[in-house]
Amino acid sequence: MHSPHITRTDDRSPRPAAALAAGTAVLTLFVVLLALVAAQWPPLMSLDRTVADALHRHAVAEPGLVHVNRVLTDWFWDPWTMRALVAVAVVALWWRGARLLALWVAAASLLGSLLSQGVKAAVDRERPRWPDPVDSAHFAAFPSGHAMTAVVSCGLLLWLLRLYGAGPALWAGAVAVAVVSVIGVAVTRVYLGVHWLTDVVGGTLLGVAVVAFTVAGYARSVSRRAPEPGV
């Protein structure tokens, strides 16, 4: 049985123009960062190295904390865990009859993964190397796939909650979980020595852009047709 419909006037999702503007601004920042990373701009590379060295020294001295970080990054905040949450939402939307929305969410999640891998291959940035590593990762470093997947997944789920009129308590709790997850993913990847600071910043920016353009695209598509049964 479908839950009560949310009319267009009750829709609290971002307006298309605002989402498009935000996405464009964030994408511009990402492109600037990408150019600086590709050019190996010395001040930025020095910042990356300083942060990485400081966190690695701490990690080597704290094996217990390293274990906690590895559990978080390999299980709770693993990209496949995040994608599984989005997949559950997509199935729920499809069952409710909101199939266009389900397709947009699924496409955004897939696009995020493809973009991450494509940019990694194009930039081909080397990950940090250590004589005494506390963790390991493969493929190129920029942008962080963990960070980008966390942002895309959390962003899409928050958007759906907003679209369906989540109450204040649920919304506040969801935002808190999302913020902790996104920041936590970024911190764990740098702390474990498998990413540079700019890798996680780049993944975050690109993820935000994907979510913003998805919100704008879906809003414009439904403005030209009747509301879906489940929305």
Side-chain angles (χ1 to χ4, degrees):
M1 181 178 180
H2 294 307
S3 62
H5 294 177
I6 298 175
T7 65
R8 298 296 299 174
T9 55
D10 291 334
D11 180 1
R12 295 183 292 170
S13 63
R15 300 298 93 188
L20 183 61
T24 301
V26 174
L27 183 60
T28 300
L29 291 176
F30 171 77
V31 171
V32 171
L33 179 61
L34 170 63
L36 294 175
V37 169
Q40 297 185 359
W41 189 48
L44 201 60
M45 299 302 100
S46 177
L47 174 63
D48 272 343
R49 174 52 67 182
T50 298
V51 172
D53 285 346
L55 289 179
H56 183 67
R57 285 194 298 270
H58 189 277
V60 170
E62 298 288 345
L65 190 54
V66 167
H67 177 70
V68 171
N69 276 266
R70 292 188 66 173
V71 169
L72 289 172
T73 195
D74 291 341
W75 293 97
F76 291 96
W77 295 325
D78 181 77
W80 286 108
T81 302
M82 294 290 182
R83 294 182 189 118
L85 294 175
V86 174
V88 170
V90 168
V91 171
L93 290 169
W94 193 272
W95 178 78
R96 289 173 61 95
R99 295 183 175 178
L100 178 62
L101 181 56
L103 291 174
W104 271 90
V105 172
S109 182
L110 177 60
L111 176 63
S113 298
L114 294 177
L115 275 176
S116 173
Q117 297 304 306
V119 176
K120 279 178 179 287
V123 178
D124 196 25
R125 187 186 197 187
E126 188 174 355
R127 292 179 184 267
R129 290 181 177 273
W130 310 102
D132 50 354
V134 298
D135 200 359
S136 62
H138 307 287
F139 198 35
F142 184 89
S144 165
H146 276 70
M148 184 172 177
T149 303
V151 171
V152 170
S153 300
C154 291
L156 291 174
L157 293 173
L158 286 177
W159 171 48
L160 293 177
L161 287 176
R162 193 71 172 174
L163 188 64
Y164 279 88
L170 175 58
W171 175 251
V175 169
V177 170
V179 170
V180 169
S181 296
V182 168
I183 294 176
V185 167
V187 170
T188 58
R189 301 309 286 167
V190 182
Y191 186 79
L192 292 172
V194 294
H195 273 296
W196 305 103
L197 174 63
T198 47
D199 295 340
V200 296
V201 173
T204 299
L205 291 174
L206 191 54
V208 170
V210 168
V211 174
F213 287 133
T214 300
V215 171
Y218 174 76
R220 289 193 172 184
S221 69
V222 297
S223 68
R224 303 188 183 98
R225 53 191 291 165
E228 294 192 90
V231 182

